[in-house]
Amino acid sequence: MNRSAFLFKLFCLLVCLLPILQACPQNCHCHGGDLHHVICDNVGLRKIPKVAEQTRLLNLQRNNFPVLPTNGFRDLRNLVSLHLQHSHIREISSGAFRGLKQLVYLYLSNNDINVIRMGAFDDLTELTYLYIDHNKIADLPKGLLSPMINLFILQLGSNKLRELKSGVFSGTKDLRWLYLSNNSISSIQPGALDDVENLAIFHLDKNQLTSYPLAAMSKLRVVEDLKLSHNPIKVIPDLAFQSFGRYMETLSLDNMGLEKFSDKAFAGTTTLKTVHIENNKLSSLPGSFPFNRLETLTMSNNPWHCSCQLAPLRRWLESTRSRPDAACASPSQARGQQIRDTAALRGCKLPTRRSKKGSRH
């Protein structure tokens, strides 16, 4: 091969490589092959960089993007994972993620987001995991989340949400894990949860609910893990968990100032394994309380009244290997004694369990 032919081939090769070389922003790390990962973590960026169209993972966290602009990622049609945590984002423009029809993972945690324009999530039909916790979001308008028809996990904890309005989750029928911990939610309107009836994990702890949102919750069908801890709810009403009681395994109601369970609060609840009710104002448990499959019960710091109404609890405490702290507060002669040991319950008779006719043994 003569020199001119070699130089011509070298020139052609450089021309072919130039777009790839240019596609890796300054100070970033780009990995080709089948990965096509672009890592621009904490490199002082102030605008969305240009990267290769074949990029599948783009890590832009710890930079400075106050506003995510319209069409900022439009050419990245192969992008699967986008990381924008800790990037001082305040506003997401309409069409900010337009073109990202293959995106599955979107990380927006730990920003200052307080404005999300309608249409911001357009084109995110394949998005499955959305992490937008630790921001300043105060409202979710109806239709904002609708494009995300395949959303499975939505992390919205540590924001400033005050209310869940009817239709707020319209379009997200595949949502299974919903985290709303540490907001300021004081109201969940009837109809707010109609579109997410298949929730399996629902965390509402550390909010401002003063009453159990029965009308909204009755639309849920398969909740396995419900957390309402640190809400100032005083009474759990009848049939509170009936619509999903055949599936619920974990229930957290601790640190609420809870005073009472209505008699039929646990009607239809048959699979509970773990219950947290410590640090409340409970003196008794209802007859519907499901001890049958219970494995863990935390119940300390409640003013338990040791009468025969607690006999089923005493029987469960005697049969379990765990030794939860559960002390009597009354009557006076039993004060401070463990429910498991107190003489106040020794003479109580438990109702006999009758096997259903035709049941299998």
Side-chain angles (χ1 to χ4, degrees):
M1 180 185 296
N2 60 37
R3 189 168 184 271
S4 59
F6 172 75
L7 290 174
F8 178 75
K9 287 194 173 185
L10 181 60
F11 173 76
C12 291
L13 180 61
L14 289 173
V15 169
C16 292
L17 286 175
L18 190 60
I20 298 175
L21 295 173
Q22 288 178 332
C24 193
Q26 188 176 8
N27 299 323
C28 299
H29 301 282
C30 299
H31 308 279
D34 294 329
L35 294 176
H36 298 299
H37 289 184
V38 178
I39 312 298
C40 302
D41 187 336
N42 195 23
V43 295
L45 293 174
R46 293 184 174 273
K47 65 179 182 178
I48 307 301
K50 295 291 184 182
V51 299
E53 288 184 12
Q54 65 266 37
T55 300
R56 292 176 61 80
L57 182 148
L58 178 57
N59 184 345
L60 298 175
Q61 63 181 317
R62 284 186 279 270
N63 285 288
N64 192 356
F65 310 118
V67 178
L68 291 184
T70 301
N71 295 328
F73 305 94
R74 181 178 55 188
D75 297 328
L76 300 180
R77 59 179 61 94
N78 295 306
L79 198 65
V80 173
S81 185
L82 177 58
H83 299 248
L84 289 161
Q85 308 96 304
H86 298 278
S87 292
H88 306 286
I89 301 167
R90 297 195 302 267
E91 178 179 335
I92 303 177
S93 303
S94 179
F97 305 108
R98 190 172 293 147
L100 301 185
K101 295 183 178 181
Q102 302 301 317
L103 196 69
V104 175
Y105 304 90
L106 177 56
Y107 301 91
L108 293 162
S109 306
N110 298 100
N111 282 291
D112 298 310
I113 299 168
N114 59 64
V115 176
I116 305 178
R117 303 294 181 188
M118 286 299 295
F121 299 118
D122 283 359
D123 281 358
L124 297 184
T125 53
E126 292 300 317
L127 196 74
T128 308
Y129 307 95
L130 174 57
Y131 298 88
I132 197 167
D133 51 296
H134 292 87
N135 279 287
K136 298 178 180 178
I137 300 165
D139 186 38
L140 293 173
K142 183 178 180 179
L144 181 68
L145 305 176
S146 296
M148 297 181 285
I149 57 175
N150 283 299
L151 196 61
F152 186 90
I153 295 177
L154 176 56
Q155 173 56 272
L156 267 165
S158 298
N159 275 283
K160 297 183 179 298
L161 293 172
R162 296 184 294 269
E163 182 180 32
L164 297 183
K165 299 175 182 177
S166 180
V168 63
F169 299 111
S170 175
T172 60
K173 293 185 180 296
D174 282 347
L175 193 63
R176 296 279 286 164
W177 297 4
L178 176 57
Y179 300 94
L180 294 168
S181 307
N182 197 27
N183 277 275
S184 299
I185 298 169
S186 61
S187 172
I188 301 179
Q189 292 184 0
L193 304 176
D194 286 12
D195 294 285
V196 289
E197 64 176 16
N198 292 318
L199 285 182
I201 295 177
F202 191 22
H203 286 188
L204 271 167
D205 53 304
K206 298 180 181 177
N207 278 285
Q208 299 299 321
L209 292 169
T210 57
S211 61
Y212 184 83
L214 185 61
M217 297 291 288
S218 65
K219 300 299 182 181
L220 302 178
R221 296 285 175 263
V222 291
V223 176
E224 299 170 12
D225 179 358
L226 176 62
K227 183 177 284 190
L228 286 165
S229 312
H230 295 274
N231 278 280
I233 299 173
K234 292 186 177 181
V235 178
I236 301 297
D238 286 340
L239 314 180
F241 318 114
Q242 186 178 45
S243 64
F244 49 87
R246 293 179 300 141
Y247 297 90
M248 186 167 61
E249 295 186 357
T250 302
L251 176 63
S252 300
L253 300 171
D254 53 281
N255 296 281
M256 296 171 63
L258 187 62
E259 297 176 359
K260 180 184 178 182
F261 291 103
S262 293
D263 290 344
K264 298 179 181 178
F266 290 94
T269 304
T270 58
T271 56
L272 264 181
K273 294 180 179 179
T274 301
V275 178
H276 300 291
I277 52 174
E278 69 270 21
N279 299 318
N280 282 303
K281 298 179 181 179
L282 294 166
S283 60
S284 63
L285 293 174
S288 61
F289 194 86
F291 288 103
N292 289 353
R293 299 190 181 183
L294 197 63
E295 297 174 1
T296 302
L297 176 62
T298 57
M299 51 188 299
S300 60
N301 295 322
N302 280 285
W304 298 111
H305 178 65
C306 289
S307 70
C308 288
Q309 191 175 13
L310 288 184
L313 171 61
R314 165 75 167 264
R315 178 171 59 187
W316 180 82
L317 289 170
E318 290 174 342
S319 66
T320 185
R321 293 180 180 178
S322 63
R323 296 186 64 88
D325 181 35
C328 305
S330 61
S332 57
Q333 62 269 26
R335 186 177 300 136
Q337 297 175 4
Q338 290 293 307
I339 295 174
R340 183 200 298 266
D341 304 322
T342 182
L345 299 177
R346 281 182 190 158
C348 297
K349 292 183 179 180
L350 288 163
T352 56
R353 295 177 179 173
R354 297 180 181 177
S355 60
K356 293 182 179 179
K357 200 171 184 179
S359 64
R360 296 179 182 178
H361 299 283

